[in-house]
Amino acid sequence: QVQLVESGGGLVQAGGSLRLSCAASGRTFSSYDMGWFRQAPGKEREFVAAIRWSGGNTEYADSVKGRFTISADMRKNTVYVQMNSLKPDDTAVYYCAARSVRSSWSVSRTPAWYDYWGQGTQVTVSS
């Protein structure tokens, strides 16, 4: 049974930083993409960043490019997103997700294509 457990959310002032973690368990994730998504109240879930375990290819939403960095530690089966220069617009529940992939596939930004989801962690950025 795949489990994804996020941690690291909290309240931070604008301009501050947070690092979110996603601990994955239940199988070998070498053929998986791991994504971070977020959902603000009244809005649809949106893509933030993703990484392929094998090869380390990454994708970022334009809104976070240059501020957020996604990384993965295969020894710990944990994916991180370092979030710097946070803005009030970054306030949302952040979700970790996993998607089984083939090597020829591109890293996906589409929530519906991800197979497994964590419970989410709240990030609040005050102005």
Side-chain angles (χ1 to χ4, degrees):
Q1 189 78 347
V2 173
Q3 275 196 315
L4 305 175
V5 180
E6 302 98 334
S7 60
L11 173 64
V12 64
Q13 288 188 331
S17 299
L18 283 174
R19 188 178 79 156
L20 305 183
S21 301
C22 172
S25 62
R27 62 184 57 189
T28 302
F29 289 93
S30 57
S31 297
Y32 276 73
D33 286 348
M34 303 297 293
W36 284 97
F37 295 81
R38 65 188 182 186
Q39 189 165 17
K43 295 188 177 181
E44 292 188 353
R45 191 167 297 189
E46 66 173 3
F47 172 76
V48 174
I51 188 168
R52 179 154 298 175
W53 278 114
S54 176
N57 293 356
T58 58
E59 289 282 336
Y60 293 93
D62 288 344
S63 59
V64 307
K65 201 171 292 184
R67 300 188 297 123
F68 290 12
T69 303
I70 190 170
S71 61
D73 186 337
M74 293 189 73
R75 294 172 302 171
K76 297 182 178 180
N77 258 15
T78 300
V79 177
Y80 305 95
V81 60
Q82 177 67 42
M83 307 187 296
N84 299 328
S85 302
L86 283 162
K87 306 173 182 179
D89 284 349
D90 295 318
T91 295
V93 177
Y94 283 70
Y95 297 92
C96 175
R99 176 193 184 212
S100 178
V101 296
R102 297 183 179 179
S103 59
S104 58
W105 294 0
S106 299
V107 176
S108 176
R109 298 168 174 245
T110 306
W113 291 356
Y114 281 76
D115 305 305
Y116 304 99
W117 291 84
Q119 81 288 351
T121 185
Q122 176 71 46
V123 171
T124 302
V125 184
S126 63
S127 57

